[in-house]
Amino acid sequence: MKSIQLQHIQKSYGDTEVIRGIDVTIEAGEFFALVGPSGCGKSTMLRMIAGLESITAGTLRIDGVAANELKPSERQLSMVFQNYALYPHMSVEKNITFGLHTKGLTKLEQRERCHEAAETLGLTDYLKRKPRELSGGQRQRVALARAIVTEAPICLMDEPLSNLDAKLRAKMRSEIRQLQRKLNLTMIYVTHDQVEAMTMADRMMLLNEGEVQQIGKPLDLYNKPANTFVASFIGSPPMNLVPVKRSEKGFVASDGRQFQPNVMTTVETATLGVRPEQILPANEDVTFYAELKNIEVLGTETILAFDVGGVEWLAKWPGQWPLSIGEKVACYIDPKQMSLFDADGERIEPRHPKLFEALEVFQ
Amino acid sequence: MTMRNALVYTLLVLSAAVMLFPIGYAFSISLMDGGEVLKGNLIPEEPSLANYVAAFDRIPLLTYLVNSLVVALLVMVGQVVLSSLAAFAFVFIDFKGKALIFMLFLATMMVPWEATMVPNFLTVQSLGWLNSVWGLSVPFFALAFGTFLLRQQFKTIPHEMYEASQIAGISRFRFFWNVVLPVSKTPLVTLSVYSFLTTWNMYLWPLLVTNTEQARTVQIGIKQMQSNEIASDWGVVMAAVVMIIIPTLLLLFAGQKQLQEGLTQGAIK
Ligand SMILES: Nc1ncnc2c1ncn2[C@@H]1O[C@H](COP(=O)(O)OP(=O)(O)O)[C@@H](O)[C@H]1O
Ligand SMILES: [Mg+2]
């Protein structure tokens, strides 16, 4: 098990800055997901850790030792590529063992390790086949086998599931997670799919345009997004956002809807955010009325679409609601569940819940 | 559709016949005796191999054939080895001025070979390589066209394959040998056939750097026959010509099979 430390890592291609100073420590044995939209620099980050790309500035430490200048093969890591990068003319067995000689293993030891890895991944029957005689899922497994056969303590994966269909993806997700636990790997997993990151990672880092947006446990990012970018990237459907202005009793959207988030702040303009599942059917208290623009009744939940201050919001109600388009429904949002972001999009921390209750009593 | 096909095939057959006629006629003449040739027969009345025996008897055809074979094989190996190594460097290794050097490389393709003949001759002469296989082969080892051809092929190899091998600690040469070359069989065969045939058919350079019968190649040998008394004996000349076409045809057929295999393999994948 090895930890990985990034100290103000930067990367530029010529004049264009692609990574703008990243500081993070990935603990030994941790499943760390690197998420962000396409082109934000995830692959570049991973390739710098792997040693396939030079580091423009900053220090990379592997188990405390500076590793900027180490060759890829000296970093004790394995890597799974998005397109698997299997050698097309070699059998599965050869693909898995090619390179093991550099570890000083005899032919016999290589075969033993290969069979062990193949067994772990259910490839025993396919060892003699060529990659082109395998399905996409099996090729993926060969790529995984090739990574684990080296017994490297660190494993890097760059969007390894993006070429698989949805069903297989869900299956491989849990398999990779189990494999990581079983082998106690320090895993850095790159994906643009926030669901993958949320379901697999111990901790995750959200990148945008080469800058860290937030690092934390998946639920921290979900519940307390550090800014509007995180709020709109994490969750499906993502957090509803609307620009608001200060009013006497709280904040007001351009259509006059009032919100009273549990935040003490002096800002004049802000962005208000609410998760779709926090917009509930109102019982007594009504936050606002919504005129339905669209409605999707799914088996276990109903998705309602309506307009708030010129922005389309989605609400997710549990159960099946036989409502129709154009209907007006009363919605309730717990003020404690509203997030507020300042003019720069940064999260404004809510008041402490206890303090909030005390103030309510006082009023 | 079938009408079209019929037309296309008719045209193809006609073109093939026109193309093949000289070879067929040469083969036909090589089986005739002198009188028959002068009568203008297309098909020999009494085919005989006497001309072939005469060809080997009267000129050192075997020496020429061996010389040509050795030179063509040397050039082929030299060009394939150097071109593939250069192409590998251009595709997989990062170094300063790569684009510029590659441009220079390509620029040499614009220089006609004849323009460099004099300096090359002087170099070969000062190395004492006149009348040797080295003088005939070494000046052709560096081939910009081959480098270009293989570079285009190597560029289609996913870079991730190279990176995966780097992470596994596989040396560059092993990657080149065990991955790059095996997946590039088709263009390697193409280049080999091209190299062999070009060298086999080379005329001007061997004429310059050889002047003994021991060192001459087949093309020179054939030409020499015209200045000898044998020239009037067309049957013998054609027998020699047929003999030197055979390796060419063999190589083409062998190469073609390889090429087709390579192509269909790509199609199925
Ligand atoms: N070799 C390169 N030269 C110039 N720009 C590059 C190079 N590689 C990547 N980039 C740029 O860096 C940014 C990040 O790329 P990448 O790390 O591949 O993104 P991601 O993997 O998150 O989709 C992109 O804008 C891309 O255009
Ligand atoms: Mg990427």
Side-chain angles (χ1 to χ4, degrees), chain A residues 11-33:
Chain A
K11 176 75 188 178
S12 311
Y13 290 108
D15 289 338
T16 41
E17 250 191 317
V18 176
I19 300 285
R20 299 161 197 266
I22 291 188
D23 284 285
V24 65
T25 301
I26 295 149
E27 305 295 344
E30 186 174 37
F31 196 116
F32 192 86

Side-chain angles (χ1 to χ4, degrees), chain A residues 240-254:
Chain A
N240 298 300
L241 297 170
V242 66
V244 289
K245 282 204 180 73
R246 173 173 289 287
S247 69
E248 288 144 44
K249 293 178 78 183
F251 287 90
V252 61
S254 63

Side-chain angles (χ1 to χ4, degrees), chain B residues 49-58:
Chain B
L49 291 174
N51 287 330
Y52 287 85
V53 178
F56 279 102
D57 241 18
R58 283 196 246 165

Side-chain angles (χ1 to χ4, degrees), chain A residues 39-301:
Chain A
C40 71
K42 307 177 297 285
S43 297
T44 308
M45 195 65 250
L46 197 72
R47 292 162 53 78
M48 281 196 285
I49 296 172
L52 299 170
E53 206 78 64
S54 64
I55 297 170
T56 308
T59 311
L60 168 73
R61 291 178 188 280
I62 295 178
D63 241 18
V65 182
N68 287 37
E69 302 302 326
L70 291 185
K71 280 196 252 163
S73 56
E74 294 165 350
R75 300 189 181 197
Q76 306 183 56
L77 46 80
S78 60
M79 184 158 172
V80 176
F81 294 86
Q82 181 172 1
N83 63 5
Y84 314 146
L86 301 179
Y87 306 114
H89 60 297
M90 293 184 187
S91 67
V92 168
E93 179 168 11
K94 198 88 215 327
N95 259 290
I96 296 174
T97 56
F98 188 51
L100 284 184
H101 67 274
T102 60
K103 310 236 163 359
L105 296 180
T106 65
K107 277 263 177 311
L108 194 70
E109 287 167 324
Q110 290 184 20
R111 287 195 81 176
E112 267 169 23
R113 277 224 204 162
C114 169
H115 283 268
E116 210 176 297
E119 198 156 320
T120 311
L121 287 155
L123 286 170
T124 314
D125 294 340
Y126 306 105
L127 285 176
K128 293 283 168 262
R129 293 211 196 161
K130 295 273 169 66
R132 67 166 172 277
E133 297 159 347
L134 299 175
S135 70
Q138 289 163 340
R139 279 181 218 176
Q140 164 76 71
R141 281 165 198 276
V142 177
L144 291 178
R146 196 168 71 177
I148 66 170
V149 79
T150 61
E151 297 184 358
I154 299 169
C155 185
L156 311 178
M157 295 194 179
D158 193 352
E159 312 219 9
L161 304 183
S162 56
N163 290 342
L164 302 180
D165 60 56
K167 209 169 151 193
L168 204 53
R169 208 153 38 196
K171 185 160 172 264
M172 289 310 291
R173 226 150 59 189
S174 79
E175 271 192 43
I176 290 178
R177 182 69 225 229
Q178 284 169 26
L179 205 61
Q180 180 265 341
R181 284 219 182 91
K182 187 176 140 201
L183 302 177
N184 228 330
L185 295 169
T186 304
M187 173 79 82
I188 306 184
Y189 187 98
V190 164
T191 175
H192 65 267
D193 180 355
Q194 54 95 19
V195 178
E196 244 170 56
M198 295 287 290
T199 52
M200 295 171 86
D202 292 319
R203 280 195 312 148
M204 62 196 271
M205 171 161 88
L206 180 54
L207 270 182
N208 187 35
E209 300 194 336
E211 263 170 309
V212 176
Q213 302 298 312
Q214 193 168 357
I215 301 172
K217 296 203 174 84
L219 285 183
D220 288 346
L221 271 74
Y222 189 84
N223 293 330
K224 294 178 201 161
N227 56 42
T228 48
F229 180 83
V230 181
S232 59
F233 193 86
I234 304 288
S236 76
M239 186 180 267
N240 298 300
L241 297 170
V242 66
V244 289
K245 282 204 180 73
R246 173 173 289 287
S247 69
E248 288 144 44
K249 293 178 78 183
F251 287 90
V252 61
S254 63
D255 58 7
R257 286 200 169 99
Q258 292 281 345
F259 299 93
Q260 288 156 307
N262 166 33
V263 177
M264 191 154 43
T265 174
T266 57
V267 297
E268 286 302 316
T269 59
T271 302
L272 184 108
V274 185
R275 291 264 170 221
E277 64 274 19
Q278 303 295 357
I279 305 175
L280 306 170
N283 291 327
E284 297 150 24
D285 291 338
V286 176
T287 310
F288 56 68
Y289 289 92
E291 186 181 331
L292 295 183
K293 277 170 63 187
N294 192 21
I295 180 152
E296 290 172 15
V297 188
L298 308 170
T300 56
E301 62 197 22

